[in-house]
Amino acid sequence: MLTERIGRITPSATLAMTAKASELRLAGKKVINLSVGEPDFPTPENIRNAGKFAIDNGITRYTPGGGTLELKKAASKKMFRDNSLHYEPSQILISSGGKHSLFNACQALFQSGDEVIIFSPYWVSFPDFVSVTGAKPIFVNTNPREQYEPVWDDLKLKISSKTKGIIINSPSNPTGGVWSDEAVIKVLEFANKIDAWVFSDECYEQLTYDKPYKSTATLVDNTDKILTFQSCSKTYAMTGWRIGYTAGNTEVIEGMGKLQGQSTSCPNSIAQEAAIEALTGDQSAVASMRSVFKVRRDYIVNRLNKMNGVNCDIPGGAFYVFPDFKAIIQNNNLIKCSDDLCMYLLEKKSLVSVSGKAFGSNGNIRFSYAASDKDLEQAMNLVEESLNELQ
Ligand code: PLP
Protein backbone atom coordinates (compact mmCIF):
# COMPACT_ATOMS: atom_id res chain seq x y z
CA MET A 1 0.00 0.00 0.00
CA LEU A 2 2.73 2.47 0.95
CA THR A 3 5.30 3.85 -1.45
CA GLU A 4 8.79 2.45 -1.81
CA ARG A 5 10.01 5.79 -0.41
CA ILE A 6 8.33 5.16 2.94
CA GLY A 7 9.76 1.64 2.98
CA ARG A 8 13.25 3.17 2.93
CA ILE A 9 12.70 4.88 6.30
CA THR A 10 13.72 3.20 9.58
CA PRO A 11 11.91 4.46 12.70
CA SER A 12 14.21 6.44 15.03
CA ALA A 13 15.79 4.10 17.61
CA THR A 14 16.25 6.95 20.08
CA LEU A 15 12.58 7.91 19.96
CA ALA A 16 11.70 4.22 20.34
CA MET A 17 13.73 4.01 23.57
CA THR A 18 12.07 7.17 24.90
CA ALA A 19 8.70 5.48 24.26
CA LYS A 20 9.92 2.35 26.12
CA ALA A 21 10.89 4.52 29.10
CA SER A 22 7.36 6.01 29.23
CA GLU A 23 5.82 2.51 29.05
CA LEU A 24 7.90 1.33 32.02
CA ARG A 25 7.00 4.46 33.99
CA LEU A 26 3.31 3.90 33.29
CA ALA A 27 3.74 0.36 34.59
CA GLY A 28 4.86 1.92 37.89
CA LYS A 29 8.62 1.27 37.57
CA LYS A 30 11.22 3.79 38.75
CA VAL A 31 13.01 4.42 35.49
CA ILE A 32 16.33 6.16 34.90
CA ASN A 33 16.40 7.45 31.37
CA LEU A 34 19.80 8.09 29.80
CA SER A 35 18.46 7.75 26.27
CA VAL A 36 17.34 11.34 25.86
CA GLY A 37 18.85 13.66 23.31
CA GLU A 38 17.85 16.90 24.98
CA PRO A 39 19.04 19.13 27.82
CA ASP A 40 17.30 18.42 31.13
CA PHE A 41 17.14 22.19 31.86
CA PRO A 42 14.04 24.31 31.26
CA THR A 43 14.07 26.82 28.40
CA PRO A 44 15.59 30.00 29.94
CA GLU A 45 13.04 32.45 31.32
CA ASN A 46 13.79 35.34 28.94
CA ILE A 47 13.07 33.02 26.00
CA ARG A 48 9.86 31.67 27.53
CA ASN A 49 8.74 35.26 28.14
CA ALA A 50 9.37 36.15 24.50
CA GLY A 51 7.11 33.25 23.52
CA LYS A 52 4.40 34.42 25.93
CA PHE A 53 4.69 37.96 24.54
CA ALA A 54 4.17 36.59 21.01
CA ILE A 55 1.00 34.77 22.06
CA ASP A 56 -0.41 37.82 23.88
CA ASN A 57 0.44 40.23 21.08
CA GLY A 58 -1.03 38.44 18.11
CA ILE A 59 2.20 37.05 16.65
CA THR A 60 0.20 33.94 15.93
CA ARG A 61 -0.24 33.99 12.18
CA TYR A 62 1.57 32.54 9.15
CA THR A 63 5.02 34.01 8.58
CA PRO A 64 7.04 33.93 5.36
CA GLY A 65 7.72 30.26 4.46
CA GLY A 66 11.45 30.47 5.12
CA GLY A 67 11.02 32.28 8.44
CA THR A 68 10.70 35.95 9.43
CA LEU A 69 13.30 38.48 8.31
CA GLU A 70 13.84 39.42 11.99
CA LEU A 71 14.77 35.86 12.88
CA LYS A 72 17.04 35.50 9.84
CA LYS A 73 18.79 38.71 10.94
CA ALA A 74 19.08 37.31 14.47
CA ALA A 75 20.58 34.06 13.14
CA SER A 76 23.02 36.05 11.00
CA LYS A 77 24.04 38.13 14.03
CA LYS A 78 24.42 35.05 16.23
CA MET A 79 26.58 33.20 13.69
CA PHE A 80 28.83 36.25 13.37
CA ARG A 81 29.04 36.77 17.15
CA ASP A 82 29.65 33.16 18.17
CA ASN A 83 31.13 31.51 15.09
CA SER A 84 32.75 34.33 13.03
CA LEU A 85 30.53 33.27 10.14
CA HIS A 86 29.35 35.88 7.62
CA TYR A 87 25.93 35.01 6.25
CA GLU A 88 23.38 37.53 4.96
CA PRO A 89 19.71 36.96 5.87
CA SER A 90 19.13 36.02 2.21
CA GLN A 91 21.51 33.10 2.69
CA ILE A 92 19.55 31.77 5.68
CA LEU A 93 16.47 29.55 5.92
CA ILE A 94 14.59 29.03 9.19
CA SER A 95 13.05 25.57 9.57
CA SER A 96 11.09 23.59 12.15
CA GLY A 97 14.25 22.29 13.85
CA GLY A 98 17.66 21.25 12.62
CA LYS A 99 16.25 17.89 11.58
CA HIS A 100 13.84 19.60 9.22
CA SER A 101 16.71 21.73 7.84
CA LEU A 102 18.85 18.66 7.12
CA PHE A 103 15.93 16.74 5.61
CA ASN A 104 15.11 19.67 3.30
CA ALA A 105 18.72 20.08 2.21
CA CYS A 106 19.01 16.38 1.32
CA GLN A 107 15.79 16.66 -0.69
CA ALA A 108 17.10 19.74 -2.49
CA LEU A 109 20.50 18.28 -3.43
CA PHE A 110 20.50 14.47 -3.60
CA GLN A 111 18.71 11.98 -5.80
CA SER A 112 18.86 8.48 -7.18
CA GLY A 113 22.35 7.59 -8.47
CA ASP A 114 24.09 9.87 -5.96
CA GLU A 115 26.18 8.73 -3.01
CA VAL A 116 26.54 10.60 0.27
CA ILE A 117 29.37 9.98 2.74
CA ILE A 118 28.34 9.52 6.37
CA PHE A 119 30.90 8.93 9.11
CA SER A 120 30.14 5.97 11.33
CA PRO A 121 29.04 5.92 14.18
CA TYR A 122 26.44 8.36 12.88
CA TRP A 123 23.33 10.13 14.11
CA VAL A 124 20.42 7.75 13.41
CA SER A 125 18.65 10.12 11.03
CA PHE A 126 21.46 10.76 8.52
CA PRO A 127 21.10 7.49 6.56
CA ASP A 128 17.33 7.94 6.36
CA PHE A 129 17.57 11.56 5.17
CA VAL A 130 19.79 10.31 2.34
CA SER A 131 18.03 7.09 1.38
CA VAL A 132 14.59 8.70 1.24
CA THR A 133 15.91 10.87 -1.62
CA GLY A 134 16.92 7.74 -3.56
CA ALA A 135 20.62 8.41 -3.00
CA LYS A 136 22.85 5.86 -1.27
CA PRO A 137 24.45 6.46 2.14
CA ILE A 138 28.09 5.36 2.14
CA PHE A 139 29.58 4.73 5.57
CA VAL A 140 33.16 5.65 6.40
CA ASN A 141 34.89 4.31 9.51
CA THR A 142 36.24 6.58 12.21
CA ASN A 143 38.84 6.28 14.94
CA PRO A 144 37.50 6.27 18.54
CA ARG A 145 40.97 7.12 19.90
CA GLU A 146 40.99 10.34 17.85
CA GLN A 147 37.58 11.84 18.69
CA TYR A 148 36.05 9.67 15.95
CA GLU A 149 37.92 11.47 13.17
CA PRO A 150 37.77 9.68 9.79
CA VAL A 151 39.90 6.67 8.97
CA TRP A 152 41.51 8.37 6.00
CA ASP A 153 42.23 5.24 3.97
CA ASP A 154 38.58 4.28 4.26
CA LEU A 155 37.46 7.74 3.11
CA LYS A 156 39.86 7.52 0.15
CA LEU A 157 38.41 4.12 -0.72
CA LYS A 158 34.74 5.14 -0.48
CA ILE A 159 34.80 8.54 -2.15
CA SER A 160 34.07 8.46 -5.88
CA SER A 161 32.71 10.44 -8.80
CA LYS A 162 29.24 9.50 -7.53
CA THR A 163 29.83 11.24 -4.19
CA LYS A 164 27.48 14.20 -4.16
CA GLY A 165 27.75 15.10 -0.49
CA ILE A 166 29.65 14.57 2.76
CA ILE A 167 28.03 15.04 6.15
CA ILE A 168 30.18 16.28 9.03
CA ASN A 169 28.75 16.27 12.55
CA SER A 170 31.23 17.59 15.08
CA PRO A 171 30.50 17.60 18.04
CA SER A 172 28.88 14.30 17.22
CA ASN A 173 25.79 12.47 18.24
CA PRO A 174 26.28 9.64 19.34
CA THR A 175 30.00 9.78 20.15
CA GLY A 176 30.46 13.32 21.49
CA GLY A 177 33.63 13.41 19.36
CA VAL A 178 34.96 16.82 18.37
CA TRP A 179 37.24 16.79 15.35
CA SER A 180 40.45 18.79 15.09
CA ASP A 181 40.55 21.67 12.59
CA GLU A 182 43.04 19.64 10.55
CA ALA A 183 40.61 16.74 10.21
CA VAL A 184 37.78 19.02 9.06
CA ILE A 185 40.08 20.76 6.57
CA LYS A 186 41.23 17.42 5.19
CA VAL A 187 37.60 16.35 4.61
CA LEU A 188 36.93 19.70 2.91
CA GLU A 189 39.92 19.06 0.62
CA PHE A 190 38.55 15.64 -0.32
CA ALA A 191 35.14 17.22 -1.04
CA ASN A 192 36.68 20.04 -3.05
CA LYS A 193 38.49 17.62 -5.38
CA ILE A 194 35.21 16.02 -6.46
CA ASP A 195 33.08 19.17 -6.11
CA ALA A 196 30.82 17.58 -3.45
CA TRP A 197 28.55 19.45 -1.04
CA VAL A 198 29.63 19.49 2.60
CA PHE A 199 26.93 19.56 5.25
CA SER A 200 28.22 20.78 8.60
CA ASP A 201 25.71 19.77 11.25
CA GLU A 202 26.64 22.12 14.10
CA CYS A 203 23.69 21.57 16.40
CA TYR A 204 26.04 20.95 19.37
CA GLU A 205 28.38 23.87 18.51
CA GLN A 206 28.01 25.50 21.95
CA LEU A 207 28.77 22.27 23.78
CA THR A 208 32.52 21.71 23.59
CA TYR A 209 34.45 21.24 26.82
CA ASP A 210 38.14 21.15 26.02
CA LYS A 211 38.57 23.76 23.29
CA PRO A 212 36.49 26.51 21.68
CA TYR A 213 34.41 25.36 18.74
CA LYS A 214 35.27 26.46 15.20
CA SER A 215 32.61 26.35 12.51
CA THR A 216 33.54 24.39 9.39
CA ALA A 217 32.98 27.34 7.03
CA THR A 218 35.58 29.43 8.89
CA LEU A 219 38.36 26.95 8.16
CA VAL A 220 38.74 27.49 4.41
CA ASP A 221 38.41 30.40 1.98
CA ASN A 222 36.12 28.72 -0.52
CA THR A 223 32.82 28.10 1.25
CA ASP A 224 30.57 27.91 -1.84
CA LYS A 225 29.67 24.28 -1.28
CA ILE A 226 29.46 24.29 2.51
CA LEU A 227 26.05 24.36 4.17
CA THR A 228 25.98 25.22 7.87
CA PHE A 229 23.19 23.78 10.03
CA GLN A 230 22.52 25.10 13.52
CA SER A 231 19.62 24.79 15.93
CA CYS A 232 18.09 26.38 19.01
CA SER A 233 17.26 22.94 20.40
CA LYS A 234 20.35 21.92 22.34
CA THR A 235 21.99 25.33 22.80
CA TYR A 236 18.97 26.97 24.44
CA ALA A 237 17.13 23.90 25.80
CA MET A 238 14.41 24.50 23.20
CA THR A 239 13.91 21.03 21.71
CA GLY A 240 10.11 21.26 21.73
CA TRP A 241 9.98 24.73 20.18
CA ARG A 242 11.35 23.35 16.91
CA ILE A 243 13.57 26.04 15.42
CA GLY A 244 16.68 25.33 13.36
CA TYR A 245 18.37 27.14 10.50
CA THR A 246 20.56 26.55 7.46
CA ALA A 247 23.04 29.01 6.01
CA GLY A 248 24.81 28.85 2.66
CA ASN A 249 24.37 29.07 -1.10
CA THR A 250 21.28 31.17 -1.93
CA GLU A 251 20.08 28.88 -4.73
CA VAL A 252 20.05 25.91 -2.34
CA ILE A 253 18.40 28.01 0.38
CA GLU A 254 15.68 29.04 -2.13
CA GLY A 255 15.17 25.44 -3.25
CA MET A 256 14.82 24.27 0.34
CA GLY A 257 12.43 27.17 0.98
CA LYS A 258 10.21 26.12 -1.94
CA LEU A 259 9.94 22.59 -0.55
CA GLN A 260 9.29 23.87 2.95
CA GLY A 261 6.62 26.31 1.78
CA GLN A 262 4.67 23.45 0.20
CA SER A 263 5.07 21.09 3.13
CA THR A 264 4.82 23.11 6.36
CA SER A 265 3.91 26.63 5.13
CA CYS A 266 6.25 28.14 7.73
CA PRO A 267 7.92 27.44 11.07
CA ASN A 268 5.80 28.20 14.16
CA SER A 269 5.39 31.99 14.58
CA ILE A 270 5.55 31.97 18.40
CA ALA A 271 8.68 29.82 18.44
CA GLN A 272 10.29 32.16 15.89
CA GLU A 273 9.74 35.14 18.22
CA ALA A 274 11.20 33.18 21.14
CA ALA A 275 14.17 32.17 18.96
CA ILE A 276 15.00 35.85 18.26
CA GLU A 277 15.38 36.34 22.02
CA ALA A 278 17.36 33.11 22.30
CA LEU A 279 19.84 34.08 19.59
CA THR A 280 20.27 37.77 20.46
CA GLY A 281 19.28 38.10 24.15
CA ASP A 282 21.14 37.20 27.33
CA GLN A 283 23.48 34.26 26.61
CA SER A 284 24.43 33.47 30.21
CA ALA A 285 22.28 30.30 30.39
CA VAL A 286 24.34 28.75 27.58
CA ALA A 287 27.57 29.03 29.58
CA SER A 288 25.94 27.72 32.77
CA MET A 289 24.50 24.68 31.00
CA ARG A 290 27.89 24.01 29.40
CA SER A 291 29.71 24.06 32.73
CA VAL A 292 27.19 21.67 34.33
CA PHE A 293 27.52 19.28 31.36
CA LYS A 294 31.31 19.32 31.63
CA VAL A 295 31.23 18.22 35.28
CA ARG A 296 28.80 15.43 34.39
CA ARG A 297 30.92 14.32 31.44
CA ASP A 298 33.97 14.00 33.64
CA TYR A 299 31.99 12.06 36.24
CA ILE A 300 30.43 9.54 33.83
CA VAL A 301 33.64 8.93 31.86
CA ASN A 302 35.54 8.36 35.09
CA ARG A 303 32.95 5.91 36.44
CA LEU A 304 32.77 3.95 33.17
CA ASN A 305 36.53 3.63 32.80
CA LYS A 306 36.77 2.19 36.31
CA MET A 307 34.52 -0.71 35.29
CA ASN A 308 36.15 -3.95 34.24
CA GLY A 309 36.03 -4.50 30.47
CA VAL A 310 34.68 -1.04 29.62
CA ASN A 311 36.55 1.54 27.60
CA CYS A 312 35.23 5.07 27.29
CA ASP A 313 37.20 7.62 25.29
CA ILE A 314 36.74 11.18 26.55
CA PRO A 315 34.29 12.94 24.22
CA GLY A 316 35.10 16.60 23.58
CA GLY A 317 31.49 17.75 23.25
CA ALA A 318 27.71 17.25 23.04
CA PHE A 319 26.14 15.42 26.03
CA TYR A 320 26.76 11.78 25.15
CA VAL A 321 29.30 9.13 26.02
CA PHE A 322 29.72 6.11 23.79
CA PRO A 323 31.55 3.48 25.85
CA ASP A 324 32.88 0.32 24.25
CA PHE A 325 31.65 -2.94 25.82
CA LYS A 326 33.24 -5.27 23.23
CA ALA A 327 35.49 -6.95 25.79
CA ILE A 328 32.39 -7.98 27.73
CA ILE A 329 30.27 -8.92 24.72
CA GLN A 330 32.99 -11.09 23.14
CA ASN A 331 33.30 -13.30 26.21
CA ASN A 332 29.68 -13.67 27.20
CA ASN A 333 27.13 -16.37 26.51
CA LEU A 334 24.11 -14.26 27.36
CA ILE A 335 25.11 -10.89 25.90
CA LYS A 336 26.10 -11.20 22.25
CA CYS A 337 25.77 -7.60 21.08
CA SER A 338 25.06 -4.11 22.35
CA ASP A 339 21.31 -4.63 21.77
CA ASP A 340 21.39 -7.50 24.31
CA LEU A 341 23.24 -5.42 26.89
CA CYS A 342 20.90 -2.48 26.36
CA MET A 343 17.89 -4.78 26.85
CA TYR A 344 19.45 -6.29 29.98
CA LEU A 345 19.85 -2.79 31.46
CA LEU A 346 16.28 -1.95 30.49
CA GLU A 347 14.53 -5.12 31.62
CA LYS A 348 16.57 -5.97 34.74
CA LYS A 349 17.47 -2.48 35.98
CA SER A 350 14.92 -0.11 34.37
CA LEU A 351 17.85 1.86 32.96
CA VAL A 352 17.15 3.24 29.49
CA SER A 353 20.01 3.75 27.05
CA VAL A 354 20.43 3.39 23.28
CA SER A 355 22.26 0.49 21.71
CA GLY A 356 25.19 1.47 19.51
CA LYS A 357 23.76 -0.74 16.75
CA ALA A 358 21.30 2.03 15.87
CA PHE A 359 24.28 4.30 15.21
CA GLY A 360 26.25 1.71 13.24
CA SER A 361 28.41 0.40 16.10
CA ASN A 362 27.49 -2.90 17.65
CA GLY A 363 29.83 -3.01 20.65
CA ASN A 364 28.87 0.35 22.13
CA ILE A 365 26.02 1.92 24.06
CA ARG A 366 25.08 5.59 24.04
CA PHE A 367 24.39 7.16 27.42
CA SER A 368 23.19 10.73 27.52
CA TYR A 369 24.40 12.73 30.52
CA ALA A 370 21.62 15.27 30.15
CA ALA A 371 20.30 13.90 33.46
CA SER A 372 20.57 14.87 37.14
CA ASP A 373 23.70 14.05 39.16
CA LYS A 374 21.63 11.66 41.28
CA ASP A 375 20.32 9.78 38.22
CA LEU A 376 23.80 9.61 36.73
CA GLU A 377 25.24 8.16 39.90
CA GLN A 378 22.45 5.62 40.20
CA ALA A 379 22.71 4.72 36.53
CA MET A 380 26.44 4.09 36.82
CA ASN A 381 25.83 1.92 39.92
CA LEU A 382 23.33 -0.10 37.89
CA VAL A 383 25.72 -0.56 34.96
CA GLU A 384 28.45 -1.67 37.36
CA GLU A 385 26.08 -4.06 39.11
CA SER A 386 24.95 -5.51 35.75
CA LEU A 387 28.50 -6.08 34.54
CA ASN A 388 29.35 -7.86 37.79
CA GLU A 389 26.32 -10.09 37.33
CA LEU A 390 27.27 -10.84 33.74
CA GLN A 391 31.01 -11.52 34.13
N1 PLP B 1 21.71 16.83 14.34
C1 PLP B 1 22.05 15.99 15.33
C2 PLP B 1 23.38 15.35 15.29
C3 PLP B 1 21.17 15.73 16.38
O1 PLP B 1 21.54 14.92 17.37
C4 PLP B 1 19.90 16.35 16.37
C5 PLP B 1 18.91 16.03 17.41
O2 PLP B 1 19.03 15.11 18.17
C6 PLP B 1 19.60 17.23 15.32
C7 PLP B 1 20.52 17.45 14.32
C8 PLP B 1 18.29 17.93 15.19
O3 PLP B 1 17.82 18.57 16.30
P1 PLP B 1 16.57 19.56 16.17
O4 PLP B 1 15.72 19.08 15.03
O5 PLP B 1 15.88 19.44 17.48
O6 PLP B 1 17.15 20.90 15.90
Side-chain angles (χ1 to χ4, degrees):
M1 184 168 71
L2 300 177
T3 59
E4 195 216 324
R5 187 182 315 124
I6 298 300
R8 280 185 240 132
I9 301 175
T10 325
S12 160
T14 45
L15 294 180
M17 288 314 272
T18 308
K20 277 239 155 49
S22 311
E23 260 171 48
L24 284 175
R25 257 190 215 112
L26 279 177
K29 296 232 160 120
K30 156 108 188 56
V31 173
I32 299 182
N33 188 1
L34 299 195
S35 76
V36 287
E38 59 186 347
D40 53 319
F41 305 104
T43 304
E45 193 179 5
N46 59 320
I47 303 173
R48 297 199 307 266
N49 285 340
K52 287 179 195 163
F53 180 89
I55 294 174
D56 291 340
N57 288 275
I59 308 176
T60 50
R61 299 183 183 279
Y62 291 130
T63 73
T68 64
L69 181 60
E70 292 77 6
L71 180 51
K72 289 181 185 181
K73 281 185 181 162
S76 164
K77 212 163 149 182
K78 182 266 167 214
M79 284 189 276
F80 181 65
R81 181 193 66 216
D82 293 352
N83 311 107
S84 308
L85 289 166
H86 300 264
Y87 288 116
E88 294 298 323
S90 59
Q91 295 175 285
I92 296 171
L93 179 82
I94 310 296
S95 302
S96 304
K99 193 180 226 179
H100 189 207
S101 310
L102 287 153
F103 183 90
N104 282 343
C106 288
Q107 289 290 327
L109 289 171
F110 308 139
Q111 58 197 355
S112 180
D114 295 338
E115 292 185 350
V116 178
I117 301 276
I118 294 172
F119 298 97
S120 177
Y122 45 79
W123 179 39
V124 288
S125 298
F126 290 144
D128 292 274
F129 291 155
V130 171
S131 50
V132 83
T133 70
K136 195 171 162 202
I138 303 289
F139 301 106
V140 167
N141 296 327
T142 57
N143 183 356
R145 297 280 107 78
E146 302 281 345
Q147 295 289 313
Y148 290 88
E149 287 180 1
V151 170
W152 300 109
D153 285 344
D154 200 36
L155 178 59
K156 219 180 275 171
L157 200 73
K158 309 264 174 76
I159 211 160
S160 76
S161 56
K162 288 189 187 158
T163 309
K164 188 82 188 289
I166 301 181
I167 303 180
I168 298 177
N169 173 219
S170 164
S172 147
N173 176 7
T175 67
V178 178
W179 290 3
S180 63
D181 297 350
E182 293 72 32
V184 177
I185 292 168
K186 214 161 155 181
V187 169
L188 295 174
E189 284 166 359
F190 270 100
N192 199 26
K193 270 191 213 141
I194 50 159
D195 201 27
W197 288 95
V198 173
F199 285 18
S200 182
D201 178 353
E202 305 186 352
C203 83
Y204 297 96
E205 43 97 31
Q206 287 299 318
L207 295 174
T208 60
Y209 308 116
D210 303 318
K211 58 175 188 183
Y213 179 72
K214 278 200 208 152
S215 271
T216 299
T218 61
L219 297 174
V220 284
D221 294 331
N222 181 2
T223 60
D224 290 354
K225 297 206 85 171
I226 299 174
L227 291 174
T228 302
F229 299 86
Q230 295 193 354
S231 168
C232 290
S233 288
K234 323 282 175 171
T235 305
Y236 301 106
M238 287 179 73
T239 46
W241 296 77
R242 312 305 304 130
I243 294 292
Y245 46 96
T246 313
N249 177 296
T250 43
E251 206 179 322
V252 178
I253 292 293
E254 277 167 25
M256 289 168 65
K258 266 206 292 196
L259 178 69
Q260 183 166 302
Q262 290 296 27
S263 55
T264 58
S265 289
C266 64
N268 177 294
S269 63
I270 299 154
Q272 288 192 66
E273 278 301 296
I276 295 173
E277 174 62 22
L279 297 173
T280 57
D282 180 12
Q283 300 292 302
S284 55
V286 179
S288 348
M289 286 192 267
R290 186 190 304 119
S291 58
V292 173
F293 281 137
K294 183 177 191 298
V295 173
R296 291 178 184 171
R297 175 201 66 167
D298 293 345
Y299 172 77
I300 196 169
V301 169
N302 192 28
R303 282 292 307 267
L304 285 163
N305 280 325
K306 280 193 181 138
M307 295 177 203
N308 222 348
V310 183
N311 180 57
C312 184
D313 295 289
I314 303 173
F319 38 66
Y320 309 105
V321 285
F322 202 57
D324 182 336
F325 291 95
K326 282 187 206 83
I328 288 155
I329 291 166
Q330 271 158 13
N331 302 313
N332 203 278
N333 294 329
L334 197 65
I335 304 293
K336 297 267 170 243
C337 61
S338 57
D339 277 1
D340 293 346
L341 184 53
C342 213
M343 273 303 152
Y344 187 94
L345 295 173
L346 182 71
E347 285 166 2
K348 302 271 195 260
K349 309 287 171 190
S350 298
L351 170 60
V352 192
S353 56
V354 188
S355 164
K357 201 170 166 193
F359 308 103
S361 183
N362 211 351
N364 300 64
I365 285 187
R366 189 193 79 173
F367 295 114
S368 158
Y369 50 89
S372 70
D373 292 353
K374 188 165 146 261
D375 276 3
L376 285 181
E377 186 182 351
Q378 253 174 351
M380 290 304 102
N381 292 344
L382 293 172
V383 175
E384 200 162 32
E385 201 175 283
S386 304
L387 298 183
N388 288 338
E389 287 162 9
L390 290 165
Q391 279 175 338

